[in-house]
Amino acid sequence: MHIEPSFRKRYHKALSDTAMLKAVKNGTGRLRGQRATAVEAVGAERWMEFRNRAEAIRMHVIQHLDQYLEQLIDNVLKKGGHVCLAKTGEEAVQYISELAKKKNAKSILKSKSMVSEEIHLNPALEKQGCKVIESDLGEWIIQLAGETPSHIIAPAMHKNRFQVADLFNAVSEEKIPTEIADLCGYARKYLREKFLGIDIGITGCNFALADSGAITLCTNEGNARIISALSPTLVTIMGMERILPGLEELTVMLSLLARSATGQKLTVYNTLSTGVRKEEELDGPQEFHLVIVDNGRSRQLGTKYEKILNCIRCGSCLNACPVYRNIGGHAYGWVYPGPIGAVLSPLYQGMDKYGELAYATTLCGACTFACPVKIPLHDMLYALRNDKVELEKTGELAEDIAYKGWSATFASMSRYRFSIRMARRFQFPLVKAEKIAFGPPPISDWLKHRDMPALPNKFFHEIWPEMNKDRKE
Amino acid sequence: MAQGVLTGNREAFFSTIRQNIKTPPGGKAPRVENPMNGLFTQRETNAQERRELRERFIHEWTTLGGKAFSIKNRTELGQTIKQIIQERQLQRVMRWDHPELEKLKLEDIFSDTQASLSRWPLEKNYSDWIGKAAAMEAGIVWGDMVMAETGTLVLPAASPGQPASISVLPLTLIAIFTTAQLVDGFSAVVKSFKERFGTDLPTTTTFISGPSRTTDIEMVLTIGVHGSRFVYALILDEET
């Protein structure tokens, strides 16, 4: 799928898609409201304590990542599971592709995995003749549409029921009505048939537990649980940072994840799976493969961006972000949208390709406040801007001149006062009813959506001496 | 169990990680001691407190879209099960092979109804049991532990007779337990798991909080996408 390389073109396209914008505003509004209700029920103080605890847990794990990964690997291997250490996305894809070939797998069912999107797993498997089907409803919808997810937890948020009906009718032998209950009913029937013919199941991993070698799968639909129960061969793909020491730490994360994502106390299905089934058990995989992916994560360790690895992929920063809410997820151009995406994309994929996303922010800090593990997202976005300028050393010439001019003017009282007196004189043609609603570039873009108050006849520093004189007299 | 195989260069994979992990000023962040402390309710409960937890659980479970019944005696258990069979028009039901379910003699209750009850395993062979399990309309499990604060069933597959398939495949899930299984929340569950399993967890443990749901289309809530659409909790008093 071709992604437009220019962020400006991507977001202009998004801004013209009124149906999508309406859906995103509606969706993020609901999720934000549900989260707020859940946080209120917990209580502000207790919620802050949860966040502090979660931040401390994640920081400890990231700073001891090697130790916990080694423990996890040993426990998975001890229980008969196989482990693939994939430094790059390509290595992960190669391993899974070779496994599918070895198993002569035709039908592969997947539950949600952002990492699998990162590494473009589906196209590689389809190229060798595997039928890969996304089992999460939202992921299946966008798979049928040939699109990428537009939200971390609601991947088809940008679609309405009519668009979904069109997609389902393209694969269905009977006509599916546009009622949401009917659409979901069709999805259940269609995907249930696929579950029952599964050769390989592929899941993501919400959290791996180092001390037991267990992986945790969290879904509201139950699809990941069905996959882990019915797959003869199960593959779990995890970003290497998605690890916790054990069960106690997991309870803290699960309590935060659900509330932050959707306002629920817990996701409907939380499954702990240790991989290969025991000999006397009938359901569960005979073969389990844990694919641990680096793909740029280790590069963040020991840097000012290290805390980005704390992320638990709840999506609450997206719902809080005024930029995301007004341009949707596809404008970000890669797998991860919103504030988390604006930081991860340049870090994982390169400044040259995604450095512009450091400007996809008002730096309001809503994302940082919403984050359950207290990642300082807006600070990171500011740091990325600095890095981008340092790296390129060429900022835009006009912007450079403008900032130097502004700096020189505002550094001197006399120059400042002279400049605003001149501005007051020259604003005259642009003023209507004490407002400036249009102007030349570059302010014309800014004025398209807002009016600026006209400069007053007298500034405060001109009024004050007169007022003071009156007072003294 | 034969040891699994590791693919990939372990040394190379970890050398980058170790090289990049830097000790910050003041030393690395220590492991959080007692990470659950102060965040979750921690107490031992008596029978009366567990009856109160029953009411809390019923409130949470019904808010999530489930139905819950407080069962006084075996007669009421039979009546409630028959009512569910009637309501859901059940023909084929499967259950866990669990000693507590054995004690309830569910087969006697079912013998008086239109529905058949099969005990796991349905068949030994994968291709045989998967077809039969898929055709089942309801699954019956025993609630090993039940978290009242969140309305959550805790279902460890502690033996081969307690598969995950029974609680997730059928359209209807019926969980039976007594008030003795009720706890406040995660603290009691983690304590129990540590005592019973240590770090050798069962192959699968599922926490189920209500029926399967999605809001993936227009953020409208729909119940029963892949997992169970109808979930029932039948709660016996521990002193019955």
Side-chain angles (χ1 to χ4, degrees):
Chain A
M1 195 187 131
H2 168 75
I3 309 280
E4 165 58 54
S6 158
F7 175 49
R8 182 178 279 265
K9 285 185 183 165
R10 292 197 305 265
Y11 75 66
H12 270 293
K13 185 179 172 200
L15 287 170
S16 65
D17 188 344
T18 48
M20 179 275 288
L21 292 179
K22 187 178 170 188
V24 168
K25 282 198 175 136
N26 173 50
T28 53
R30 278 193 193 211
L31 291 172
R32 214 166 54 250
Q34 284 162 198
R35 176 193 170 276
T37 304
V39 169
E40 200 183 316
V42 169
E45 214 175 291
R46 191 158 157 252
W47 182 251
M48 186 49 85
E49 190 46 46
F50 256 107
R51 289 178 75 212
N52 290 340
R53 200 73 59 86
E55 183 195 19
I57 289 168
R58 292 298 290 143
M59 280 319 303
H60 165 76
V61 167
I62 295 307
Q63 287 172 10
H64 297 83
L65 192 58
D66 55 334
Q67 173 190 316
Y68 287 113
L69 282 173
E70 296 269 26
Q71 190 184 14
L72 173 71
I73 291 165
D74 289 342
N75 280 320
V76 171
L77 293 174
K78 200 166 66 182
K79 291 184 173 168
H82 306 293
V83 177
C84 168
L85 298 176
K87 192 105 183 78
T88 64
E90 289 78 17
E91 286 172 26
V93 169
Q94 188 183 352
Y95 181 86
I96 298 169
S97 300
E98 281 170 7
L99 176 67
K101 204 177 264 181
K102 185 175 155 197
K103 296 288 172 188
N104 197 27
K106 294 286 173 259
S107 171
I108 297 180
L109 269 283
K110 280 182 71 207
S111 68
K112 199 181 287 178
S113 163
M114 303 298 288
V115 182
S116 74
E117 305 266 354
E118 260 183 62
I119 64 178
H120 306 295
L121 179 64
N122 289 12
L125 291 173
E126 281 157 3
K127 210 169 161 182
Q128 62 183 49
C130 299
K131 176 89 176 144
V132 183
I133 302 174
E134 296 288 347
S135 63
D136 172 82
L137 178 61
E139 292 283 346
W140 186 46
I141 290 168
I142 58 164
Q143 182 181 38
L144 292 174
E147 295 173 10
T148 52
S150 66
H151 190 285
I152 288 175
I153 60 145
M157 181 185 272
H158 58 292
K159 293 256 180 255
N160 61 44
R161 68 187 72 184
F162 305 102
Q163 292 167 321
V164 173
D166 287 342
L167 291 167
F168 285 4
N169 281 314
V171 297
S172 168
E173 284 165 7
E174 59 208 58
K175 186 151 167 60
I176 316 296
T178 55
E179 292 303 313
I180 291 175
D182 292 314
L183 293 169
C184 290
Y186 172 71
R188 182 185 173 103
K189 188 172 147 204
Y190 180 95
L191 291 169
R192 179 55 65 99
E193 205 185 292
K194 304 301 175 194
F195 282 131
L196 298 176
I198 194 171
D199 293 324
I200 292 181
I202 299 179
T203 72
C205 174
N206 289 87
F207 304 102
L209 303 186
D211 65 357
S212 58
I215 57 145
T216 313
L217 302 170
C218 308
T219 67
N220 278 319
E221 296 177 14
N223 53 312
R225 189 142 176 278
I226 295 179
I227 286 175
S228 69
L230 299 189
S231 303
T233 301
L234 178 67
V235 176
T236 292
I237 310 177
M238 69 174 265
M240 63 177 212
E241 82 284 14
R242 304 305 300 276
I243 187 168
L244 294 169
L247 205 53
E248 287 173 290
E249 288 85 358
L250 179 66
T251 62
V252 177
M253 295 304 162
L254 292 182
S255 302
L256 279 168
L257 175 64
R259 286 178 171 94
S260 301
T262 57
Q264 294 166 262
K265 289 182 181 176
L266 281 180
T267 315
V268 176
Y269 297 97
N270 291 282
T271 302
L272 295 176
S273 170
T274 58
V276 181
R277 67 173 191 242
K278 296 187 176 69
E279 207 179 306
E280 58 278 19
E281 289 172 338
L282 289 177
D283 76 348
Q286 286 173 298
E287 224 177 280
F288 172 61
H289 299 257
L290 179 64
V291 181
I292 303 176
V293 179
D294 183 340
N295 207 32
R297 286 152 172 80
S298 59
R299 278 203 310 271
Q300 317 315 323
L301 291 166
T303 71
K304 60 191 166 189
Y305 302 110
E306 182 178 80
K307 278 191 174 183
I308 204 66
L309 299 173
N310 290 2
C311 180
I312 62 173
R313 305 289 192 263
C314 67
S316 61
C317 58
L318 276 67
N319 304 327
C321 178
V323 175
Y324 175 87
R325 293 198 324 259
N326 281 283
I327 63 173
H330 290 149
Y332 290 81
W334 197 46
V335 174
Y336 303 102
I340 186 69
V343 176
L344 281 178
S345 303
L347 291 179
Y348 285 8
Q349 294 286 294
M351 272 297 208
D352 50 338
K353 221 169 156 189
Y354 290 107
E356 293 175 285
L357 292 179
Y359 295 90
T361 172
T362 62
L363 297 176
C364 66
C367 48
T368 300
F369 186 71
C371 179
V373 287
K374 299 176 71 179
I375 301 170
L377 284 163
H378 71 300
D379 288 338
M380 288 187 179
L381 287 163
Y382 184 71
L384 281 168
R385 287 187 185 186
N386 285 329
D387 288 352
K388 183 168 163 32
V389 169
E390 280 301 311
L391 198 68
E392 292 168 5
K393 298 256 184 244
T394 53
E396 287 186 27
L397 182 63
E399 189 181 288
D400 208 31
I401 293 172
Y403 273 112
K404 284 195 164 110
W406 174 86
S407 174
T409 305
F410 276 62
S412 152
M413 184 63 77
S414 57
R415 281 199 292 268
Y416 166 71
R417 287 187 178 173
F418 175 77
S419 68
I420 59 174
R421 281 201 300 274
M422 290 298 108
R424 186 168 52 199
R425 190 174 293 178
F426 289 111
Q427 76 175 349
F428 178 69
L430 307 177
V431 176
K432 200 173 177 183
E434 294 180 351
K435 285 195 168 73
I436 298 175
F438 66 95
I443 65 164
S444 52
D445 269 347
W446 196 83
L447 290 171
K448 261 186 206 156
H449 305 286
R450 48 183 82 70
D451 296 333
M452 205 164 74
L455 296 172
N457 292 330
K458 281 196 171 173
F459 292 106
F460 179 76
H461 70 264
E462 291 167 325
I463 299 170
W464 178 247
E466 292 169 12
M467 284 172 68
N468 221 16
K469 188 176 154 196
D470 291 341
R471 277 177 58 224
K472 279 178 183 166
E473 282 168 8
Chain B
M1 178 86 62
Q3 178 98 339
V5 171
L6 177 71
T7 303
N9 190 329
R10 192 164 183 159
E11 192 52 48
F13 189 85
F14 278 97
S15 71
T16 315
I17 297 173
R18 290 191 177 109
Q19 194 178 301
N20 290 349
I21 289 177
K22 288 184 174 59
T23 303
K28 286 189 186 180
R31 183 163 180 184
V32 176
E33 293 218 10
N34 302 315
M36 300 173 72
N37 223 27
L39 299 180
F40 300 96
T41 309
Q42 248 169 315
R43 61 170 178 163
E44 300 292 328
T45 52
N46 58 35
Q48 181 49 37
E49 283 162 339
R50 288 191 289 275
R51 287 187 192 103
E52 288 159 17
L53 285 179
R54 176 183 55 203
E55 300 317 306
R56 176 81 194 264
F57 171 81
I58 290 173
H59 169 77
E60 295 296 326
W61 189 252
T62 50
T63 304
L64 290 166
K67 284 189 176 175
F69 298 89
S70 192
I71 308 285
K72 290 192 194 63
N73 49 47
R74 187 174 160 70
T75 308
E76 232 175 76
L77 177 68
Q79 285 166 350
T80 307
I81 289 176
K82 286 173 185 173
Q83 184 187 316
I84 295 170
I85 291 172
Q86 186 62 28
E87 193 176 300
R88 299 267 64 86
Q89 291 291 293
L90 300 175
Q91 304 274 348
R92 292 171 298 276
V93 180
M94 56 181 171
R95 72 167 177 89
W96 269 6
D97 179 7
H98 191 288
E100 295 298 330
L101 292 179
E102 285 294 330
K103 283 184 203 167
L104 296 175
K105 295 189 172 37
L106 297 174
E107 278 73 11
D108 293 348
I109 296 170
F110 271 76
S111 66
D112 199 23
T113 70
Q114 75 207 23
S116 65
L117 178 65
S118 304
R119 189 184 61 189
W120 191 266
L122 304 177
E123 293 289 345
K124 291 282 186 193
N125 189 274
Y126 175 83
S127 53
D128 294 331
W129 74 251
I130 197 173
K132 283 197 171 174
M136 293 288 167
E137 293 151 340
I140 301 179
V141 298
W142 177 260
D144 184 273
M145 297 183 82
V146 180
M147 291 162 44
E149 285 172 349
T150 50
T152 304
L153 307 171
V154 183
L155 307 178
S159 85
Q162 296 160 28
S165 298
I166 286 187
S167 62
V168 75
L169 283 180
L171 205 57
T172 298
L173 171 66
I174 301 168
I176 306 177
F177 52 93
T178 76
T179 48
Q181 271 66 58
L182 282 159
V183 296
D184 291 285
F186 272 130
S187 283
V189 172
V190 169
K191 182 173 179 230
S192 168
F193 270 51
K194 273 182 168 175
E195 284 164 8
R196 288 155 66 188
F197 308 118
T199 55
D200 190 16
L201 295 177
T203 314
T204 316
T205 301
T206 307
F207 297 76
I208 300 182
S209 308
S212 157
R213 53 164 43 200
T214 185
T215 52
D216 273 345
I217 304 177
E218 291 188 5
M219 302 303 293
V220 170
L221 177 64
T222 306
I223 300 292
V225 186
H226 294 305
S228 306
R229 186 177 299 162
F230 308 103
V231 294
Y232 296 87
L234 278 49
I235 313 166
L236 300 150
D237 193 285
E238 62 198 73
E239 283 166 10
T240 301

